[in-house]
Amino acid sequence: MADIDQIKIVALGPDDAIAGLALSAEAHWNQNEADWRYFLSKGTVFGVRDKGGRLIATAALLPYSSGNAWISMVLVTESWRRRGLATKLVDTCLDTATKLGLTAWLDATSAGAAVYGPLGFSPTIQLRRLRLEPGSTSAGAAPLPSGHLTEFITCDISAMGFDRRDLLRELEGRPGSRLVSSGDAMALIRDGRTARHIGPLFADSPVRALAMVGDIAALETGPLLIDAVANQDAFLKGLTQMGWTIERPFQRMRFGRATNPPAELPFAVAGPEYG
């Protein structure tokens, strides 16, 4: 077994997008090539290669505004797991964040939360990833009106406590993405590697949030994913009654000083890779 103390951690570049995608596909994650290219161009992605030059592990630090950053894409190929590579890469992200004066956030799986807690991360909100398969709802609904990106960004700032307008502009502008509105609810739908993703989703009430999800599902023909805020009990219960199934929980965690608390929680988030 190789001594990971001798492993060299390097900063990755745009040419590593396909290798990164292979890692996330191996883990059955939903990120696509566009996601990897965004992280590699807007954030700092650390990686480890084996002796043959193959990318075997990654972790990314994506800066936002007001001294905040997101850690994600923490991946290790199967044959190299349980050797401490993920911890070393997250430590590298944390060291970088600390030097830059950034509060670091991440959305952890149950296994990941057990690792990140001892590193100094504190739990905040919980999320639930749900999936809807094709045919789980009736199709044929009228197209939803387009939403206004400026208003959507304002809602996101209120929900996050900091500004992510560059990310939202990127996601909304991708081929296949749709920002939709029903007047008192707004949501972003975008492509993933295996399923379309709904989120962030903002609404005035659980009823309107559920109606928005139902309208979206009626217009989509493939599988859908949504990362719902667990505190939104009525919304989460309504999704399961509509045929959505819970795949896994995520625990949102913070490392560093507390920042501006969210004024109002969303009903669904942009995804564990983005927060």
Side-chain angles (χ1 to χ4, degrees), residues 244-260:
W244 290 77
T245 58
I246 297 177
E247 284 197 339
R248 65 179 66 90
F250 289 105
Q251 175 67 64
R252 181 157 294 179
M253 308 183 81
R254 185 191 73 243
F255 184 93
R257 61 181 177 81
T259 54
N260 294 330

Side-chain angles (χ1 to χ4, degrees), residues 153-250:
I153 290 170
T154 299
C155 291
D156 190 71
I157 293 171
S158 178
M160 296 297 295
F162 50 87
D163 193 332
R164 304 188 298 175
R165 68 183 64 215
D166 290 344
L167 169 68
L168 297 180
R169 285 171 176 157
E170 152 73 16
L171 296 180
E172 190 269 343
R174 289 181 184 176
S177 292
R178 291 192 297 136
L179 178 60
V180 296
S181 172
S182 66
D184 51 9
M186 284 192 295
L188 179 66
I189 311 105
R190 61 184 173 91
D191 287 342
R193 187 181 63 85
T194 64
R196 298 264 284 167
H197 186 274
I198 301 173
L201 188 156
F202 309 106
D204 292 342
S205 69
V207 171
R208 294 309 307 153
L210 289 167
M212 167 67 79
V213 172
D215 289 342
I216 292 171
L219 293 165
E220 296 287 335
T221 58
L224 292 169
L225 292 174
I226 191 168
D227 294 301
V229 175
N231 299 48
Q232 302 283 15
D233 298 326
F235 178 64
L236 192 59
K237 182 178 179 181
L239 288 176
T240 59
Q241 291 174 342
M242 291 166 58
W244 290 77
T245 58
I246 297 177
E247 284 197 339
R248 65 179 66 90
F250 289 105

Side-chain angles (χ1 to χ4, degrees), residues 26-64:
E26 179 191 348
H28 306 291
W29 289 9
N30 195 48
Q31 288 80 23
N32 58 20
E33 184 178 338
D35 293 315
W36 276 100
R37 293 199 178 281
Y38 187 80
F39 275 96
L40 289 162
S41 63
K42 300 298 184 181
T44 302
V45 185
F46 298 103
V48 174
R49 305 184 195 278
D50 64 13
K51 291 182 179 179
R54 180 175 67 102
L55 187 64
I56 59 171
T58 60
L61 180 69
L62 181 66
Y64 287 138

